Amino acid sequence: MTKHGKARSRKGSESKPGSQLVSRAAKGGPRHVSAQFRHTTEMHTQSVLERNDLDELMAMADLADKDWVAERGQVIVISSGVVDHLADEAAIAERKAAEERNLSRLKLPRRPAWDSNTTPDMLDSQERSAFLIWRRSMATMEEEEKLVLTPFEKNLEVWRQLWRVLERSDIVVQVVDARDPLLYRSEDLELFCREINESKASFILLNKADLLPESVRRLWADFFDKKGIAHGFFSAFLTTEEQKLLKHNATETDTDLEEMRAERRETKEADRERELAAAEAEGPEAEEAYAQKQRVELLDGDELVELFEHRAKLAIEAAGPDDPRRADFTRRYNIGLVGFPNVGKSSTINAIFGSKKTAVGPTPGKTRHFQTLNISDSVCLVDCPDAQSHRVF
């Protein structure tokens, strides 16, 4: 009823079959714009982990560059298999066997090969086609093998950001949660890096390591050393708190902040030299204890940057004398940072800078486009959006 007591007309309120789909597509604008004329800010990099059946159908049709129409009166009944969750021994054994058979198929989507002769539209078409094949392979695995995959990133634009970060980085740093690093480490990402360039090294940064006792850090260090995996322990929280304290003390004492930071570094280095000298004086057992302590010590922001630069330099040297990066003396070392949501990647960057450079919040996947952040004259961080990969459970 309107305010004058007349019934509101219902003309046009009943939509025809498919009209809502058409309306939704129209509001979204053109489905496909030439890649040559798209800017990175126009690409929809909102993380997509779950879709309903209708949105999934439309997304797959868009990747295949196909259209769809709604037909009145065409009723199709679809029956699909249901994943068997029975807890009997036979079902559990069958599922484990299926997991082992398909572990090699659980790969990150790869970017198709390209060169200087590949046009933007050609590359866009190839990327969409390759991603569609990858999505279909995941669906086939779930349907035929009755496997259940954890939610994974379904937005091609997010994966495109990852591809570009991997290509331009000298080393790739995976930021993981130190409380369960193997859950957040992607071995396939390390393989992907070597496929791009054999010398592209990987590094595991165990953030939130302050939550682990030294004995547990030592066990993880033993594990990664045995596997030959470069790694380091870090706490973005402690580093940030320490920087806040330095700023407060600098303000209270009217001292230059950089001078205070330099003095702190000198004091820390002097303490280490003093501890080493004392250990050497006591004998081999004391020296071994000191070495073990240093091995699992938490890095601060400056030490982390120095470590990144050192490993990037080694990676470029390993690429051989013909690598063009060796002749470019003005080029910064590019350090790619990747990680699952909520492992503290953005907080790590902020701790390195000592000021807020990326948006940090409770929402997973806050970074939408990759960013290049110059932290010194020789080091540049390349921050990648959080792309969540799949796992079997």
Side-chain angles (χ1 to χ4, degrees):
M1 299 289 289
T2 64
K3 65 179 181 179
H4 297 294
K6 296 181 179 180
R8 194 182 300 274
S9 173
R10 295 178 55 84
K11 183 179 181 180
S13 61
E14 297 182 1
S15 58
K16 296 179 180 180
S19 62
Q20 292 184 357
L21 300 183
V22 176
S23 176
R24 183 188 302 181
K27 290 180 180 178
R31 286 174 47 202
H32 184 61
V33 181
S34 173
Q36 184 177 3
F37 301 103
R38 287 190 300 169
H39 187 268
T40 181
T41 55
E42 298 172 351
M43 300 176 182
H44 304 290
T45 55
Q46 176 72 33
S47 180
V48 178
L49 300 181
E50 291 290 351
R51 287 194 180 106
N52 60 40
D53 293 341
L54 180 58
D55 287 339
E56 180 68 4
L57 172 66
M58 295 171 64
M60 296 295 278
D62 187 54
L63 283 173
D65 201 20
K66 293 183 179 180
D67 211 339
W68 40 262
V69 294
E71 296 184 7
R72 182 191 298 271
Q74 297 293 326
V75 179
I76 301 175
V77 179
I78 300 176
S79 61
S80 60
V82 179
V83 178
D84 186 6
H85 291 289
L86 296 178
D88 57 87
E89 294 182 1
I92 294 175
E94 182 181 350
R95 191 180 71 178
K96 287 184 177 180
E99 290 176 6
E100 293 177 358
R101 286 197 306 269
N102 292 277
L103 279 179
S104 60
R105 297 173 62 186
L106 290 171
K107 290 182 174 292
L108 303 178
R110 271 28 177 196
R111 189 183 195 188
W114 62 279
D115 54 31
S116 57
N117 297 321
T118 307
T119 66
D121 283 334
M122 289 172 54
L123 183 58
D124 177 71
S125 176
Q126 291 170 6
E127 289 178 347
R128 292 160 64 86
S129 176
F131 188 69
L132 176 61
I133 293 173
W134 177 76
R135 288 291 313 279
R136 285 175 173 170
S137 70
M138 295 299 104
T140 300
M141 196 186 314
E142 287 186 293
E143 181 178 354
E144 294 180 354
E145 296 285 0
K146 304 301 186 234
L147 293 177
V148 180
L149 302 182
T150 59
F152 60 91
E153 184 56 62
K154 298 176 175 63
N155 188 349
L156 171 59
E157 296 301 340
V158 175
W159 290 110
R160 279 172 165 164
Q161 299 294 309
L162 174 66
W163 295 340
R164 284 149 179 78
V165 168
L166 297 185
E167 288 178 346
R168 70 184 299 157
S169 300
D170 300 318
I171 66 169
V172 177
V173 178
Q174 292 189 58
V175 183
V176 302
D177 191 322
R179 292 169 293 182
D180 194 354
L182 299 186
L183 176 65
Y184 298 99
R185 175 196 172 206
S186 172
E187 295 185 54
D188 190 49
L189 181 66
E190 298 166 17
L191 176 62
F192 193 0
C193 291
R194 293 193 295 271
E195 291 174 1
I196 297 173
N197 191 322
E198 187 63 32
S199 68
K200 194 179 293 291
S202 296
F203 185 88
I204 304 296
L205 182 63
L206 292 92
N207 187 33
K208 306 181 184 180
D210 57 306
L211 301 177
L212 301 181
E214 185 176 317
S215 58
V216 176
R217 296 204 300 268
R218 188 176 298 113
L219 290 174
W220 279 119
D222 292 340
F223 172 83
F224 287 118
D225 285 341
K226 186 177 180 179
K227 297 281 188 180
I229 301 170
H231 63 282
F233 296 96
F234 185 70
S235 171
F237 173 76
L238 289 185
T239 301
T240 301
E241 291 300 307
E242 186 176 356
Q243 290 169 350
K244 289 180 180 178
L245 181 61
L246 278 175
K247 291 179 181 178
H248 174 75
N249 292 339
T251 302
E252 290 293 317
T253 60
D254 196 21
T255 306
D256 182 73
L257 180 59
E258 290 305 316
E259 290 182 4
M260 185 166 286
R261 284 176 174 168
E263 183 179 332
R264 171 192 162 278
R265 287 193 294 268
E266 292 175 0
T267 301
K268 190 173 183 179
E269 187 62 32
D271 291 341
R272 283 179 178 171
E273 293 177 358
R274 188 163 45 252
E275 289 180 15
L276 176 59
E280 291 174 344
E282 291 183 26
E285 291 186 3
E287 288 185 65
E288 177 63 21
Y290 173 80
Q292 290 295 331
K293 179 182 177 182
Q294 293 298 311
R295 187 165 157 259
V296 297
E297 188 175 14
L298 300 184
L299 300 166
D300 61 27
D302 294 327
E303 292 167 338
L304 193 58
V305 172
E306 291 175 2
L307 181 59
F308 287 165
E309 182 174 355
H310 174 67
R311 301 207 65 86
K313 187 181 298 183
L314 292 178
I316 293 176
E317 291 176 355
D322 297 331
D323 193 292
R325 293 174 295 178
R326 301 186 69 169
D328 189 354
F329 299 105
T330 62
R331 180 183 178 276
R332 288 182 170 91
Y333 297 110
N334 289 325
I335 314 298
L337 287 177
V338 300
F340 277 78
N342 289 336
V343 296
K345 177 167 60 67
S346 293
S347 298
T348 297
I349 295 175
N350 295 336
I352 292 174
F353 270 90
S355 59
K356 193 167 185 177
K357 293 296 180 183
T358 57
V360 181
T363 304
K366 197 69 170 161
T367 306
R368 298 298 178 218
H369 304 277
F370 82 82
Q371 307 175 64
T372 54
L373 305 165
N374 296 325
I375 58 177
S376 71
D377 293 336
S378 57
V379 177
C380 173
L381 297 182
V382 187
D383 182 23
C384 179
D386 302 328
Q388 185 155 319
S389 59
H390 42 52
R391 296 187 187 277
V392 180
F393 69 95

